[in-house]
Amino acid sequence: MKIGIFGGSFDPIHTGHAMLANFISQCNIVDQVWLTVSRKNPLKEHSTYATERQRVEMVKLVAAYCSNVEVCLEELNLPYPSYTYNTLCHLQKLFPQNEFKIIIGSDNLSTLHQWKESEKILQEFGVIVYPRPGYPLKGEEPSGMKYLNGAPEFSISSSLIREYISSKWNINYFVPLEVAEYIKINKLYL
């Protein structure tokens, strides 16, 4: 089975993440998408705001309503810092019958060379790239990459949603309604 690994801190998971996971899981590139909750990204300055458990719960709420989308918690069990290559190798060892590919936004292409073992990720696993506003997918696909031209694009981000919440905005439709309710009940991002 081909599995697309869509990783992120998901702090919080939002409608763009949900749309994209649902889209990719149905466009015949992979059989399933695994939403993989990560620890702090080694290339990003900020810490996460919600706990790991809270982020996992929000991701589970989204996966429940998407086709062929599962939640993967394996990266949370690996030593910090979390490197994509290590996660992919770990998953391949646990599930040798599957073929794994990483899913990234086109905004990450300019820093992909900074990722630990980026060449091995491309050669051994492969990368699925979805378009992000301001970062068009153009030219021929490099070896080991598959461009998802036609995938939904979204400008929304988790940091923007956290800002809206701290400003007491209504976040309905920025995040799935179940996630909005979870955030409200747990008083997150205030």
Side-chain angles (χ1 to χ4, degrees):
M1 187 178 332
K2 288 184 183 175
I3 308 294
I5 300 299
F6 186 10
S9 59
F10 301 119
D11 198 17
I13 191 165
H14 55 67
T15 305
H17 295 131
M19 277 191 310
L20 193 61
N22 202 33
F23 174 85
I24 294 172
S25 72
Q26 298 179 84
C27 66
N28 297 320
I29 291 176
V30 294
D31 300 303
Q32 287 185 343
V33 171
W34 289 4
L35 294 171
T36 305
V37 179
S38 64
R39 292 191 172 131
K40 182 179 184 260
N41 182 330
L43 296 178
K44 290 187 179 178
E45 297 280 328
H46 79 81
S47 306
T48 57
Y49 297 87
T51 66
E52 285 179 5
R53 184 189 60 76
Q54 290 168 328
R55 292 182 297 120
V56 166
E57 290 306 313
M58 289 185 279
V59 169
K60 285 180 178 179
L61 290 169
V62 168
Y65 291 97
C66 295
S67 298
N68 303 313
V69 175
E70 303 291 330
V71 178
C72 177
L73 305 179
E74 287 300 322
E75 189 167 304
L76 296 176
N77 298 321
L78 295 175
Y80 182 80
S82 301
Y83 293 112
T84 299
Y85 181 72
N86 295 350
T87 300
L88 290 167
C89 289
H90 177 74
L91 290 171
Q92 192 66 72
K93 190 174 181 179
L94 283 179
F95 306 101
Q97 72 280 13
N98 292 335
E99 179 183 331
F100 293 95
K101 300 197 174 297
I102 193 76
I103 300 168
I104 66 169
S106 57
D107 54 327
N108 287 307
L109 287 177
S110 65
T111 59
L112 185 61
H113 68 281
Q114 295 176 357
W115 294 22
K116 183 178 179 185
E117 307 289 4
S118 61
E119 286 300 316
K120 286 184 177 182
I121 292 170
L122 286 165
Q123 293 167 3
E124 297 173 26
F125 297 99
V127 178
I128 299 168
V129 185
Y130 62 89
R132 291 282 288 154
Y135 301 88
L137 294 170
K138 47 188 170 176
E140 216 169 293
E141 296 171 346
S143 178
M145 279 191 199
K146 172 69 180 153
Y147 288 168
L148 280 181
N149 285 308
E153 291 187 43
F154 52 90
S155 296
I156 193 147
S157 68
S158 296
S159 57
L160 186 62
I161 292 167
R162 290 191 303 268
E163 187 179 311
Y164 291 163
I165 294 168
S166 70
S167 297
K168 308 284 190 252
W169 283 30
N170 177 325
I171 58 162
N172 288 348
Y173 306 107
F174 290 99
V175 298
L177 292 175
E178 298 82 8
V179 173
E181 186 64 21
Y182 184 90
I183 290 169
K184 183 179 176 183
I185 289 169
N186 289 280
K187 298 176 173 60
L188 298 177
Y189 314 115
L190 297 173

